[in-house]
Each structure stands twice: as C-alpha cells, then as structure tokens.
C-alpha cells in the first residue's frame, strides 16, 4: 500500500463510498478495521433491535390497520411515527458512515495519512463534545415536541371521527379531503370564515387596546412632577396579580343581564338601559375585548415603564430647546424608542390573544349560540377546535383546522419578527 | 447525482421490503373473543364506580364474592368523562375494567366506538326494571347495560313561601303573578336550557328524535312540530310577562337561580334531585312533588338521566361480567344502593316499596320518572343542545317568534347532523 503522495489517479473515494452501502465495508477498504467493525456491529444491532418496530410501524402507517378490533388505527399511527423517527436516526448514522468512508477515501487519493485510532478518539471528543452533551436534550425534544406535531399533522389527513374510530372501526387515509370539505361544504365554509374573521378582529382589537392603554398609562405615570408614583403603579399592576381565570369568572357574573353590577349599577346610574351582554354576540364580543384590555394592559405598562427609565433626558431637553410640543416629543422620541425596545414582546401579545382560549371559554363558553354554523358567536379558532373534538368528535377536521391555524400564526410571527429591528440586529433570522 | 440516485433507490427498496411485511397473523387472527368466551370462571373482576358511591357497592360485591368465589375489585372515578377517557386508554392496554358505570347518554358514542359491548339477559330480568330505564340502556335496538339509578327534575318549593304544592301549572302561574315583584319570584325554571325546557316542549307534543323498531331516528326531528311550537310559546309567555328574571339565563343561570332560592327570594323551582342537599344546607324548608300538569292537562315529560352498569368490550369474561351486572342491579342490591346513596334505582318493586313511597323527595323523583323520557342516547344528540339553547335564549330575550326560532334550530341541527354524523 502506498503511503507517499500519489501521482496516478486512484478511485479510493468512490470505491469506499460504494462499499459503504453496507456500513463498515468502506472503512475496511480504507484499512480501518476497528471503525469498520463498529459500523457493522451498529448496523446489525439496529436491525436486530428495531426490525419488528419498523416492520409493524411502516405497515401500520401505510395501511392504518386491516382488521377492525384487532388493529387499533391510532396506536398503529403512533407506532408508525416512532418507526419514522427511528428511520431518520438510522439514516443520519448511515449518512455519517458514507461520508466518513468517502472522506477517508479522498484523503488516500491525495496521499494524506489517515487518522489513527487515538487521533480519531481525540477528534471525536474535541469536536463532538457539544453534540454529545445536547443529544439527550435533542432526543427529549424529538419526543415531546416533534412527535405530537407529526401526530396531529398526520391526523389532518385521516377521516378520524366518531364513526371511524377504533376499536370498532378503522381510520383511513383520505388525503386532503378534510381541507377540501372545510372550504367546499357550505356550513363548514361559513363557520370557518365567520370564526376566522372574529378571531382576527378579536386579536387586533383586544391586543391593540391593551398595548395602547399600557403605553399611554405608563407615559402618564412617568411624568416628572407626578406625586405618589409607587402607589399608582401598584394599583395598575393589580389586574395582573389576580389569576386571570378568577377575574374572568368574576366578570362573567358582573356582566349578568339583570343581576350584574354593570347593568344594575354602572349603566343604570348613567341612565342607560340594560344591555344583553350574554345573549347578543356583538355585545359579548365587545365585553370580551374590554375585559382583555383590562387584563392585558398591566404587563405592557410594567414593561414600558422600564423602557422609559432608560430614555435619556438629554433628548427631551434638546427637543424642548428646539421648541417641540409635548405631543411632538411623544411621537418623535418616546414612542419610537418604546416600540423599538418592546416590539418582539408586543408581537407575542398578538399571537397570544390569537389563541387566548381561557377568556373565551370561561366568560361565556364561546356563546351565545348563533344559527347557521357549527361554532358559537364568540368562538375563536382555538375554542372552535375544542368544541369539534370534545362535543362533535371531529378529530380529523379539528386537526386540519389546527394546521391552518398554526400556519397562520407561524407565518405572521415569522414575517413580523423578520421586520423587527431588535431581532435583525441580533442576526436571529 | 447518479450516485445519490442509486443510494435513494436502495433506500426506497429497503423501506418497500419492510412495508410489505406487516404483522404475522396466522395464529392471532380473530383472537379478540378472549380466552374465556366459554364462560370459565375468572379469578377476579374489576369494576369502575362513581366517586363516593362505593358504599353501595361494597356489600353487593361481598355477597357476589361469597356466592361465586370470584374476587371483585373496584375503583372510583370522578366524572363520567374521566371514566370514558380512561377506558379508551386503559382498555386497549389491558388495564381496563370488566364492568363500569356510565350515564346513559354516553352509550351511543361508546357503543359506536366499540368500547362497551352488547349484553344479553333473560326477559324476566328485564321485566324487573321500568320500561323507560331499559329503553335508556338500549342503543340501535341492542341492550348495552342494566340501569342502576335514575334522576329527573321535579318541582321543589320553599314551604315558608308556598303553603301547598300546586297540581297544575295554571296554579303556579296564578301564584307567580301575585308573588313576583322584580325582587321576589314565584317560580323559576331554566327553560332557556333545553334539558329543562324539554319538560314543556315534550309535554305539549314535541319530541327530539322519532323512534322506529326501538331505534331512534336522527333524520326524524320533532322539535319544530306543532306541539313543540306550542311549548315554545308557553315558555316565552313566562319570560315575556317578566315572571322569569332575564338574568337567569345561559351558563350562569343555574347558579343565579339557586342563589335566589337559597336567599328565600324564590318560592319554587324546577330542578333535579342533585339540588336537594344544597337547598337544605342553605336552611330552606323544602318540599318536592312531581312537576305540575301543563295547561293542556298533560304531565310534563322531563328528561330522565339513567346511570347503568356496562360491560367493557375489552373484557375477557363477558359472561361473568354480565352476571355481575345482573347481580348488582337486583332488588336486594338496588335497595342497599337507595339506602346508602339516596339514588333511585328504577326497579319496579322497589319504587312501590314504602322506603321510597314514604320518602317525600324520593317519591317525587320516582313518580316524575314515570312521565319522564330518557334523554336520547344517540351521538347525534350532541348537535341538539347548542342550537336549542340559542333558540330558547332568543325566545327568553324576546328576540324571535317561537315558530321561526324552532324552525331555525331544527335547520341548524339537521345540517350539523349531516356534516358531523354521516357514516
């Protein structure tokens, strides 16, 4: 075997790569017996251990079971996802094997010496250490985060509902039928667009209200001559301190049509007739937006107060000398600086309200019911999905809507984060 | 690129070979019947009971153990939903019960999924129960369990405010007219909630689903027929004339109603036996009778809830599980259940027994049960509640005419059944 520089062109790299199709053989070809055996043994162990899992898994994933009662489609689906994940893991190691054989073959072609065992070990420890440390975390992530996502993603392409649910019946793959139904069947389309429309209105109205209120009050309280700042701030933080679900339930009582204080005391003292807060969708929606404004502003208030402390007084002094009015100072100095610092958090407030299940569910259970659609008057997408799974047993459809919903949230969030300066400067995207 | 392509091909081939295999079924096929299908005696049976109800189960279980030499274990579970979700997970895993208890309106869903199974008992056993309670345990013409306890709303009144129990709703109406002044109320029923409103709608001739050969027909809706509309008109009358406060409506209506009753500002209500204890705890001297008769002379057909014992589809001891269900619901054990829990078993002989007949509260429930009909137990019922709540709430707030509200509700229910329940 030649160890010196080679003039004639050899094909070690290609040979090693091709031999490596059976893991380990490429390494043997390169003369690395121990490494080759490790790959070979690893492959054997992989197939010996996982053969049954992969066999049943892929069979189940493709067929979702063949005999009702004996085959439980949903368990087969889960087994199938497991098989998929194991396959990906296997492929990664397989790829490493191919790459390793090719790389060492290339080294031989240009006549470089191969690393001996000790060097390889050192190499692995030096370069691979971070990967070694995070691998348990990644593994956990795969099963806690990726696994459920794949599961609900796949459910969206099945006909899983009450009449196609194990053990009595099998679940089948139906491709994009759920998505087609949502947009094609009248009642689904009507419901989807009315719920989606309200979800958007809700998100923008409620969040904008809480943000505007928070910033406004923070600027107000931050005025230099104001006495008793500490007390005022404490009072403003209070809505945040009480658990939201308690507040929402209390509000639900306060908005009661003939007993709640809103109608009997507050509106009555203003000479306004009782409003049907709980039985007319639009009034319920209005109440919900107001309540979320109240619940949400303290957080923005606290954050803005913090940012305001860091704005230098010099800016305002300079502006005063230039003859700027209070409004101009606010618009040209305070607001841009506050928004600049808090934009990422404000965006997450929007995405939070987009999926704010608690307030919708606790206030009036998504009600009042309205005719002609299978969601109720104040249902947002997330509470509609809850209704579909818990009362109608429409698991497949609910998964499809979940996918549409996540797609919207993800794309909006991505787009906004990308446009936000504070993220660009950290080079996040 | 050629290389990558060939690697890809090899991989696809490998996956293809794997996928083509599948499980080896030669021995296992059709093995769900279980090893004990022939009725061999098992060592033990597992029972799932409601929370705090095992006091009634314990003596029965002991007697069963002595008689048959089979050990019976039991475990308590919180709500019906807990049990339903639990058996879906534990059943396939082999940790499920042999026998479990469920409210009858879940039978349709679980039978459709195949979580509980049909049982067969002698006609003589069936004859010991009231007809409606057996009807509640039947889905699609098949028997899925035996009834353990029933409950249905009755007329509950404050003896200090109402000296005598009225016999007709006309009397209640007259009393209410005199008594109600905006702060105090004569009678309140949660008639914006279909569960309670059905008493009137059904009594006037409406129905939810028609019946054919012992099976409920989801395509035969009776909630906008003439009788139902008459019922809706009667309901609206109470709200229109201000006899029911507008605030007793929707999700929080029940607590508003109970609050008024507990404060002594409300003379009578339509409510279920679950409310007795709370009212007594609030220091109210309550009386209970069957619901007063409607203006058309018919009794109110309240919705009845029946809890039953069912056999899990995952059990390996179907025959003995059925025997246990029969045993738990027989006269002796039903009597123990009534004595320890005050739940009323729909056992004919027991209803006539003095221990129930002489108990004012239990007697009211037992008598009302005879006019009551079981809530429909088919899964399509899930589509009825929402639209009916809407219709009744718009009636209560005077925003719609009875006819159009009921028609609209029927239309919505129909569309939802078509979209959500097409098999």
């Amino acid at each position: 075997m030649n160890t010196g520089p080679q003039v004639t062109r050899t094909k070690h790299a290609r040979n090693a790569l091709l031999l490596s199709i059976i893991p380990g053989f490429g390494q043997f070809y390169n003369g690395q017996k121990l490494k080759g055996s490790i790959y070979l043994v690893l492959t054997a162990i992989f197939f010996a251990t996982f053969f049954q899992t992969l066999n049943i898994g892929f069979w189940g994933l493709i067929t979702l079971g063949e005999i009702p009662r004996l085959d439980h489609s949903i368990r087969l689906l889960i087994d199938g996802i497991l098989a998929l994940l194991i396959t990906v893991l296997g492929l990664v190691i397989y790829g490493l094997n191919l790459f390793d054989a090719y790389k060492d073959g290339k080294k031989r072609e240009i006549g470089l010496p191969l690393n001996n065992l000790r060097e390889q070990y050192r190499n692995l420890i030096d370069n691979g250490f971070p990967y070694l440390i995070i691998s348990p975390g990644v593994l956990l992530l795969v099963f806690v985060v990726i696994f459920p996502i794949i599961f609900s993603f796949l459910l969206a392409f099945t006909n899983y509902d009450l009449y196609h649910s194990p053990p009595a019946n099998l679940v089948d793959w139906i491709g994009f039928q759920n998505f087609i139904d949502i947009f094609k069947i009248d009642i689904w389309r009507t419901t989807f667009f009315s719920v989606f429309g309200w979800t958007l209105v809700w998100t923008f109205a409620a969040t904008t209200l809480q943000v505007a209120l928070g910033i406004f009050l923070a600027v107000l309280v931050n005025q230099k001559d104001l006495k008793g700042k500490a007390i005022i701030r404490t009072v403003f933080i209070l809505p945040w301190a009480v658990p939201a679900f308690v507040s929402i339930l209390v509000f639900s009582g306060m908005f009661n049509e003939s007993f709640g204080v809103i109608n009997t005391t507050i509106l009555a003292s203003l000479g306004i007739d009782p409003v049907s807060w709980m039985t007319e969708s639009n009034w319920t929606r209005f109440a919900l937006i107001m309540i979320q404004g109240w619940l949400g502003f303290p957080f923005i208030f606290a954050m803005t107060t913090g940012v305001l402390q860091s704005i230098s007084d010099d800016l305002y002094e300079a502006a005063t000398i230039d003859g700027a009015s209070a409004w101009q100072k606010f618009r040209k100095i305070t607001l841009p600086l506050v928004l600049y610092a808090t934009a990422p958090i404000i965006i997450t407030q929007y995405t939070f309200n987009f999926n704010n299940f608690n307030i919708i569910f606790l206030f009036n259970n998504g009600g009042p019911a309205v005719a002609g659609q299978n969601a109720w008057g104040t249902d947002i997408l997330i509470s509609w999905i809850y209704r579909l799974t818990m009362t109608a047993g429409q698991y497949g459809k609910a998964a499809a809507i979940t996918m549409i919903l996540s797609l919207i949230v993800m794309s909006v969030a991505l787009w906004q984060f990308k446009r936000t300066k504070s993220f660009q400067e950290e080079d996040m995207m | 690129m050629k290389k990558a392509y060939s690697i890809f091909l090899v991989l696809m081939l490998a996956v293809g070979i794997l996928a083509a295999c599948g499980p080896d079924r030669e021995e296992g096929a059709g093995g769900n019947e279980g090893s004990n299908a022939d009725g061999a005696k098992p060592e033990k049976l597992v029972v799932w009971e409601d929370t705090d109800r095992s006091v009634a189960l314990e003596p029965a279980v002991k007697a069963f153990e002595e008689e048959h030499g089979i050990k019976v274990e039991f475990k308590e579970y919180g709500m019906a939903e807990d049990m339903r979700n639990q058996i879906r997970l534990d059943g396939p895993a082999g940790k499920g019960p042999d026998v479990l208890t469920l409210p009858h309106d879940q039978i349709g869903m679980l039978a459709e999924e195949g979580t509980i199974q049909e049982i067969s008992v002698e006609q003589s056993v069936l004859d010991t129960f009231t007809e409606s309670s057996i009807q509640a345990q039947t889905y699609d013409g098949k028997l899925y369990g035996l009834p353990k306890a029933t409950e249905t709303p009755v007329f509950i009144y404050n003896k200090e405010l109402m000296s005598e129990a009225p016999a007709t709703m006309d009397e209640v109406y007259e009393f209410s007219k005199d008594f109600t002044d905006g702060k105090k109320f004569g009678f309140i029923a949660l008639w914006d909630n279909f569960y309670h409103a059905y008493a009137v709608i059904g009594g006037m001739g409406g129905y939810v689903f028609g019946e054919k050969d012992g099976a409920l027909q989801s395509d035969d809706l009776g909630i906008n027929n003439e009788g139902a509309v008459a019922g809706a008109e009667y309901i609206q009358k109470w709200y229109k004339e201000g006899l029911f406060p507008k605030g007793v409506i929707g999700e929080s209506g029940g607590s508003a109603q109970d609050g008024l009753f507990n404060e002594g500002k409300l003379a009578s209500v339509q409510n279920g036996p679950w409310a007795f204890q709370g009212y007594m705890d609030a220091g109210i001297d309550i009386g209970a009778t069957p619901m007063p008769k409607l203006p058309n002379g018919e009794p109110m057909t309240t919705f009845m809830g029946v809890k039953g014992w069912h056999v899990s589809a995952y059990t390996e001891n179907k025959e003995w599980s059925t025997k246990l269900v029969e045993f738990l619901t027989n006269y002796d054990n039903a009597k123990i259940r009534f004595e320890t829990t005050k739940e009323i078993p729909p056992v004919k002989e027991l209803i006539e027994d003095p221990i129930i007949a002489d108990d004012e509260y239990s007697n009211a429930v037992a008598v009302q049960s005879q006019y009551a009909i079981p809530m429909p137990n088919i899964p399509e019922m899930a589509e009825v509640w929402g639209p009916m709540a809407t219709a009744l709430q718009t009636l209560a707030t005077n925003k719609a005419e009875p006819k159009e509200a009921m028609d609209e509700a029927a239309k919505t229910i129909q569309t939802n059944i078509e979209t959500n329940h097409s098999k």
Side-chain angles (χ1 to χ4, degrees), chain A residues 271-308:
Chain A
I272 299 173
D273 284 339
V275 172
S276 40
W277 295 108
M278 294 301 203
T279 50
E280 244 173 87
S281 311
N282 284 334
W283 282 118
T284 317
R285 291 171 175 189
F286 180 73
L288 278 170
I289 291 171
M290 289 298 132
I291 296 170
Q292 181 55 35
W294 187 85
L295 286 172
F297 89 85
F299 176 64
I300 304 289
F301 171 81
M303 201 173 57
T304 313
T305 306
V307 175
L308 288 177

Side-chain angles (χ1 to χ4, degrees), chain B residues 17 77 85 106 114-115 128 159 179 189 235 273 336 372 375-376 383 399 414 417:
Chain B
I17 293 166
Y77 273 98
N85 293 332
Q106 295 192 359
T115 311
T128 59
K159 282 183 174 164
F179 192 78
I235 287 171
I336 295 173
M375 257 186 284
E383 309 302 338
K399 276 181 285 201
Q414 222 155 21
I417 287 177

Side-chain angles (χ1 to χ4, degrees), chain A residues 407-426:
Chain A
L407 220 67
I408 296 165
V409 176
M410 282 191 297
S411 46
V412 170
L414 259 173
W415 175 73
Q416 287 202 330
F417 275 136
K418 274 188 94 159
R419 287 172 46 103
T420 310
K421 288 216 176 68
S422 42
F423 268 80
Q424 279 171 356
E425 281 179 10
E426 283 171 39

Side-chain angles (χ1 to χ4, degrees), chain A residues 176-252:
Chain A
F176 284 92
Q177 198 56 44
N178 282 329
F179 296 91
I180 295 170
D181 283 352
I182 289 170
F183 291 103
K184 207 172 160 193
I185 295 177
D186 279 342
I187 188 165
W188 284 101
R189 190 182 49 231
T190 322
T191 313
F192 181 80
F193 284 111
S194 94
V195 171
F196 185 53
W198 158 238
T199 309
L200 290 184
V201 171
W202 152 255
T203 308
F204 285 102
T207 319
T208 309
L209 178 69
Q210 78 189 49
V211 169
L213 201 63
I215 293 178
F216 174 73
L217 289 173
V219 171
L220 218 59
V221 175
N222 206 48
Q223 297 306 309
K224 267 206 192 105
D225 328 323
L226 192 74
K227 296 263 187 327
K229 277 187 185 147
I231 294 173
I232 298 175
R233 276 183 192 147
T234 315
V235 171
F236 281 159
I237 299 293
L238 275 182
W240 193 14
V242 183
F245 79 93
V246 178
S247 314
I248 297 165
L249 288 174
V250 170
F251 271 117
S252 165

Side-chain angles (χ1 to χ4, degrees), chain A residues 384-401:
Chain A
W384 184 35
I385 291 168
Y386 176 83
R387 201 178 291 286
L388 283 178
T389 48
M390 300 309 283
T391 65
Q394 288 280 3
Y395 311 107
K397 286 262 179 7
I401 295 166

Side-chain angles (χ1 to χ4, degrees), chain B residues 312-371:
Chain B
S312 158
Y314 299 100
T315 179
E316 290 185 347
N317 313 299
K318 182 180 175 183
E319 203 161 301
W320 282 98
S321 299
T322 313
K323 272 210 176 96
L324 179 61
V325 168
E326 276 180 43
F327 189 80
L328 290 177
T329 50
N330 69 18
Y331 177 81
D332 294 329
N333 291 316
K335 192 167 180 176
I336 295 173
R337 176 162 295 277
F338 175 73
E339 283 166 346
T340 49
T341 64
K342 288 282 168 196
E343 290 181 306
I344 297 167
V347 176
K348 281 187 207 159
E349 212 180 323
L350 192 64
I351 291 174
E352 288 151 18
D353 194 293
I355 60 162
I356 289 187
D358 292 350
D359 179 309
E360 185 186 355
Y361 307 127
S362 309
N363 187 49
V365 178
V367 172
Q368 181 62 38
S369 297
Q370 294 173 8
Y371 311 122

Side-chain angles (χ1 to χ4, degrees), chain B residues 17-40:
Chain B
I17 293 166
L18 283 169
C21 288
D24 180 13
R25 278 250 171 78
E26 271 170 84
E27 318 130 74
N32 189 56
E33 287 305 303
S35 48
N36 264 335
D38 52 348

Side-chain angles (χ1 to χ4, degrees), chain A residues 17 55 59 62 67 69-71 162-163 165 167-168 187-188 256-258 280 365 369 371-372 374 376 391-392 394, chain B residues 3 18-19 21-23 25 109 112-114 246-247 251 314 379-380 382 386 390 399 408 412 416 419-421 423:
Chain A
L17 183 66
N55 179 15
W59 169 81
I62 289 165
I67 307 167
R69 291 216 156 265
L70 197 60
D71 297 331
L162 187 59
Y163 301 96
S165 66
I187 188 165
W188 284 101
N256 184 302
E257 207 166 321
S258 42
E280 244 173 87
N365 194 12
N374 64 5
W376 289 6
T391 65
Q394 288 280 3
Chain B
K3 221 176 291 168
L18 283 169
C21 288
R25 278 250 171 78
M109 189 179 252
E112 200 64 62
E113 281 178 1
K246 272 190 188 161
E251 294 291 312
Y314 299 100
E380 283 87 345
T390 315
K399 276 181 285 201
E408 185 73 51
T412 312
N416 277 344
T419 38
N420 287 344
H421 297 271
K423 294 182 190 183

